[in-house]
Amino acid sequence: MLMVEYRALSWWYWLVTVGLLTAGVFGWPTGFLLAIGLTVFQLIHFTLRERSMTAFPVQVRLGYLLLLLIALPENLQGIYWIPTLGTWAQVLFGYCLMARMVSLLPWTRREAFSLGLLKRTFLSAPVRGNILQGLPPASSTSNQPIMEPTR
């Protein structure tokens, strides 16, 4: 199901970014540099908006920026296919793999790491907002302790 959130500024950031990445993987390497620049701008914008470097949207953008920077050397640019395809999934369907991975970091998750948590994190349907707001709860039969996020 499509989840095009054209009323959200963040959706527009991601749309422009994925356009630049797509241009890059199809032969215009300047697209990679412009996507990195836009991601830096987006990171600054969300840091100022959230007033915290530890806010979830900021962590997602920081992880995304790090992935783009890792792929920057010419011999690693094949890695750009990962954020390109992942960002298309975000823009079209609302499925953000980076946000799901960030939600599993020890300071972000609210329950013990488990196979069940992995399944729910990666296989649950996309939700409006972010994965932390829409992750299905652990089953009531689980005896896993809940971990509070650190701030």
Side-chain angles (χ1 to χ4, degrees), residues 1-5 11 88-96 100 124-128:
M1 162 172 66
L2 288 178
M3 191 181 297
V4 177
E5 297 187 39
W11 183 85
W88 275 116
Q90 162 63 23
V91 166
L92 296 175
F93 307 109
Y95 186 95
C96 184
R100 289 165 189 261
S124 64
V127 296
R128 297 211 186 278

Side-chain angles (χ1 to χ4, degrees), residues 78-92:
I79 294 172
Y80 278 121
W81 279 99
I82 297 168
T84 301
L85 295 174
T87 308
W88 275 116
Q90 162 63 23
V91 166
L92 296 175

Side-chain angles (χ1 to χ4, degrees), residues 72-134:
L72 187 57
E74 191 172 340
N75 58 342
L76 296 177
Q77 288 185 354
I79 294 172
Y80 278 121
W81 279 99
I82 297 168
T84 301
L85 295 174
T87 308
W88 275 116
Q90 162 63 23
V91 166
L92 296 175
F93 307 109
Y95 186 95
C96 184
L97 182 61
M98 180 62 73
R100 289 165 189 261
M101 292 187 327
V102 168
S103 77
L104 294 173
L105 294 172
W107 56 86
T108 308
R109 61 185 148 89
R110 299 183 63 92
E111 65 181 90
F113 195 80
S114 68
L115 184 57
L117 176 61
L118 278 175
K119 286 180 186 177
R120 286 192 325 280
T121 299
F122 291 109
L123 301 179
S124 64
V127 296
R128 297 211 186 278
N130 69 51
I131 188 69
L132 294 180
Q133 297 164 333

Side-chain angles (χ1 to χ4, degrees), residues 18-93:
V18 77
L20 294 168
L21 288 175
T22 301
V25 297
F26 283 109
W28 188 53
T30 304
F32 300 138
L33 295 174
L34 292 173
I36 290 169
L38 180 56
T39 303
V40 168
F41 181 83
Q42 194 179 164
L43 178 63
I44 292 167
H45 173 237
F46 276 83
T47 301
L48 292 172
R49 187 184 88 174
E50 300 292 328
R51 296 185 178 147
S52 171
M53 281 296 293
T54 61
F56 189 74
V58 175
Q59 289 183 54
V60 170
R61 283 153 182 85
L62 182 59
Y64 191 84
L65 176 60
L66 291 174
L67 179 58
L68 295 184
L69 291 172
I70 288 168
L72 187 57
E74 191 172 340
N75 58 342
L76 296 177
Q77 288 185 354
I79 294 172
Y80 278 121
W81 279 99
I82 297 168
T84 301
L85 295 174
T87 308
W88 275 116
Q90 162 63 23
V91 166
L92 296 175
F93 307 109

